[in-house]
């Protein structure tokens, strides 16, 4: 537990030294708030929370991937990860330390989204559940990408197109049935389904996201064991 806390604190310090990453947790809900106040409220043609759900989906499905990948790759680049592995830090300890911090930060942002959207009762629980599981999947995917990258620059180059593809596919799926069927295996599609329709059944989305999380976790462990000591 002490190891996880130490890595958690280290990641917190690293993020506050990087205003670009810190801004990501602020800019998405800020845009949602501004667009809600100045666009959706004055114009009845838009749904009450269209921009809230849109920005929340983008944040959970895209925003975190590049940030986490960069953080992991930076540890590889600075050889911090190599020292941690030599010291006996296990894959799950490292992941819980780094990923746990990003998940905690994402939870704060998710709560802000919820306050802007004014979700209550069952809608609030569904929103928090789908966002929490979705951000966990993004963190694991970003961690895996970071582990397979030589440095932060390479991580950004690899993470950005992946994030764009899996992030925008659900938007395209709204207009194309073929894409919608293919996108069903993506956790981002399941986030999109729930945040846009709280009456939808949660069972399938959570199962699909859980499957994504499992795959990403396995890939991360394999990458950690193979790439860690080479950092």
């Amino acid at each position: 537990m002490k190891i996880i806390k130490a890595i958690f604190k280290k990641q917190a310090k690293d993020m506050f030294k990087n205003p670009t990453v810190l801004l990501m947790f602020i800019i998405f809900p800020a845009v949602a708030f501004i667009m809600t106040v100045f666009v959706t409220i004055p114009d009845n043609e838009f749904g009450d929370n269209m921009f809230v759900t849109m920005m929340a989906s983008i944040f959970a499905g895209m925003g975190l991937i590049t940030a986490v990948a960069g953080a992991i790759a930076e540890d590889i680049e600075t050889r911090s990860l190599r020292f941690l592995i030599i010291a006996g830090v296990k894959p799950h300890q490292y992941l819980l330390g780094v990923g746990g911090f990003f998940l905690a930060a994402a939870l704060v942002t998710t709560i802000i989204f919820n306050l802007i959207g004014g979700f209550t009762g069952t809608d609030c629980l569904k929103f928090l559940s789908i966002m929490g599981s979705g951000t966990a999947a993004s963190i694991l995917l970003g961690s895996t990408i970071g582990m397979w990258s030589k440095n932060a620059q390479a991580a950004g180059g690899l993470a950005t197109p992946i994030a764009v593809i899996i992030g925008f596919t659900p938007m395209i799926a709204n207009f194309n049935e073929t894409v919608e069927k293919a996108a069903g295996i993506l956790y981002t599609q399941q986030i999109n389904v729930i945040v846009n329709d709280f009456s939808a059944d949660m069972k399938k989305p959570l199962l699909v996201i859980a499957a994504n999380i499992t795959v990403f976790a396995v890939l991360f462990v394999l990458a950690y064991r193979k790439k860690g000591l080479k950092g």
Side-chain angles (χ1 to χ4, degrees):
M1 194 65 181
K2 291 181 179 179
I3 293 175
I4 296 173
K5 287 182 178 180
I7 296 173
F8 185 100
K9 291 178 180 179
K10 171 190 171 299
Q11 190 54 56
K13 292 178 181 178
D14 288 346
M15 192 184 82
F16 284 107
K17 292 178 183 177
N18 189 340
T20 302
V21 176
L22 183 61
L23 183 63
M24 183 199 69
F25 289 88
I26 301 172
I27 193 67
F28 286 102
V31 170
F33 177 77
I34 292 170
M35 296 302 288
T36 298
V37 171
F38 294 103
V39 178
T40 59
I41 292 178
D43 195 336
N44 293 326
E45 292 183 7
F46 294 95
D48 291 341
N49 291 307
M50 185 184 78
F51 290 104
V52 174
T53 56
M54 181 188 297
M55 288 296 106
S57 296
I58 294 173
F59 170 74
M62 289 176 56
L64 286 169
I65 296 175
T66 53
V68 177
I72 300 291
E74 185 176 343
D75 280 348
I76 293 175
E77 188 176 2
T78 60
R79 294 184 175 272
S80 296
L81 181 60
R82 180 183 177 86
F83 295 138
L84 289 172
I85 293 178
I86 292 174
V89 175
K90 304 299 182 183
H92 73 277
Q93 293 175 320
Y94 179 71
L95 184 60
L96 287 174
V98 176
F101 169 75
F102 279 103
L103 189 62
L107 176 60
V108 174
T109 300
T110 297
I111 291 173
I112 294 173
F113 274 124
N114 188 79
L115 292 174
I116 297 171
F119 306 130
T120 58
T122 303
D123 289 352
C124 174
L125 292 176
K126 285 189 172 184
F127 181 75
L128 294 178
S129 296
I130 203 68
M131 285 291 291
S133 55
T135 52
S138 282
I139 289 169
L140 276 165
L141 177 56
S143 298
T144 303
I145 293 172
M147 285 302 306
W148 286 107
S149 303
K150 293 181 179 179
N151 51 52
Q153 184 176 0
L158 180 60
T160 299
I162 292 176
V164 169
I165 291 171
I166 69 169
F168 279 100
T169 295
M171 297 182 189
I172 299 173
N174 290 330
F175 306 97
N176 188 293
E177 290 186 7
T178 302
V179 175
E180 183 179 7
K181 291 179 181 179
I185 62 172
L186 298 176
Y187 71 94
T188 48
Q189 172 66 8
Q190 303 309 320
I191 295 173
N192 191 58
V193 168
I194 299 301
V195 298
N196 287 301
D197 182 12
F198 287 128
S199 66
D201 185 13
M202 287 282 289
K203 186 176 181 180
K204 179 183 176 181
L206 290 177
L207 285 175
V208 172
I209 294 175
N212 277 248
I213 287 175
T214 301
V215 171
F216 297 151
V218 170
L219 292 175
F220 173 81
V221 171
L222 293 174
Y224 184 93
R225 290 175 177 172
K226 185 174 182 179
K227 302 282 289 185
L229 288 174
K230 296 180 181 179

